[in-house]
Amino acid sequence: MKAWVVRFASLYLFNVVVLLVIGAIFGSVRVGWAALWASLLLTAGTIWLKPLLRRLFRGMAARSASRRSRMAEKLVQALIVFVIELGLWIVVVVFSSVDVRGWLLGWILPPIALLIAFAIYDLVDDRIEARAGALYDRVGRRGATAATTDTAAAGIPPVPRPAGAAPAASPPPAARAKDPYDGLTAEQRRMLDDLG
């Protein structure tokens, strides 16, 4: 779950920046505040729609690959990548309030810019997702600590153990000082470990 959230959030923020840059570079594309919704569409399309389109087009192209020269095959693969980016761009424009005017500067060049942006993202995505993951963990730890403090301050009693159950072993004081989940019950620790 954490990996999915981190990947989606980092790609979403990257797409917001890319859409704002496209709006700034191409005068025939107006993005503005629509970048927030359009980036959500672009992110969802990149994660779920793009792999489906890639499989579909590559499967169709593979049937006739043996009849093409090496250069023609590279051209077909490049065309497939462009058509997929164009499809994503059409989804973004149709389902958001991104305003596009002009054929070349509005419909052809922005997908090429998306293609370049995604190539850049592929080069740096591990670092972006690592930083986003660290931020996610830091926020999660603060939230867990705040929740524990809030329940104790509210006077909520601990969950009773079933009859006959042995009490959870308490870690030694030195281990407790290093534990980022200090103050949590063993069950709460297991739940947090299952999440991450």
Side-chain angles (χ1 to χ4, degrees):
M1 169 93 176
K2 173 192 157 189
W4 183 86
V5 169
V6 167
R7 180 173 183 229
F8 193 90
S10 62
L11 186 58
Y12 174 80
L13 293 174
F14 182 82
N15 285 336
V16 167
V17 172
V18 167
L19 289 170
L20 290 172
V21 168
I22 287 174
I25 291 174
F26 303 110
S28 60
V29 178
R30 294 182 191 223
V31 179
W33 288 103
L36 299 175
W37 173 249
S39 179
L40 185 66
L41 292 172
L42 187 58
T43 302
T46 301
I47 291 175
W48 293 296
L49 184 62
K50 195 173 182 178
L52 293 174
L53 291 174
R54 186 179 296 136
R55 258 186 266 132
L56 173 75
F57 287 128
R58 287 196 176 156
M60 290 177 0
R63 292 184 204 137
S64 61
S66 62
R67 291 178 270 165
R68 287 190 294 270
S69 68
R70 192 174 194 184
M71 186 65 176
E73 182 61 26
K74 288 191 181 284
L75 185 63
V76 167
Q77 293 300 322
L79 185 62
I80 288 172
V81 171
F82 174 75
V83 167
I84 291 170
E85 297 304 329
L86 179 63
L88 286 176
W89 181 246
I90 290 170
V91 166
V92 166
V93 171
V94 168
F95 292 107
S96 72
S97 53
V98 172
D99 184 31
V100 173
R101 290 185 218 123
W103 181 250
L104 180 66
L105 292 176
W107 292 100
I108 302 300
L109 292 181
I112 293 172
L114 284 176
L115 186 78
I116 294 168
F118 286 135
I120 293 169
Y121 184 79
D122 283 341
L123 295 174
V124 298
D125 68 335
D126 291 335
R127 282 180 269 167
I128 291 173
E129 289 178 15
R131 286 189 184 192
L135 181 64
Y136 179 90
D137 289 342
R138 194 174 327 137
V139 169
R141 274 188 233 122
R142 285 185 186 153
T145 304
T148 304
T149 306
D150 291 345
T151 56
I156 298 173
V159 178
R161 286 190 314 270
S170 178
R176 259 186 273 138
K178 295 178 184 175
D179 187 5
Y181 304 118
D182 193 32
L184 297 179
T185 66
E187 182 180 356
Q188 290 170 331
R189 284 190 186 107
R190 278 194 307 275
M191 289 172 51
L192 284 173
D193 290 340
D194 289 345
L195 289 174

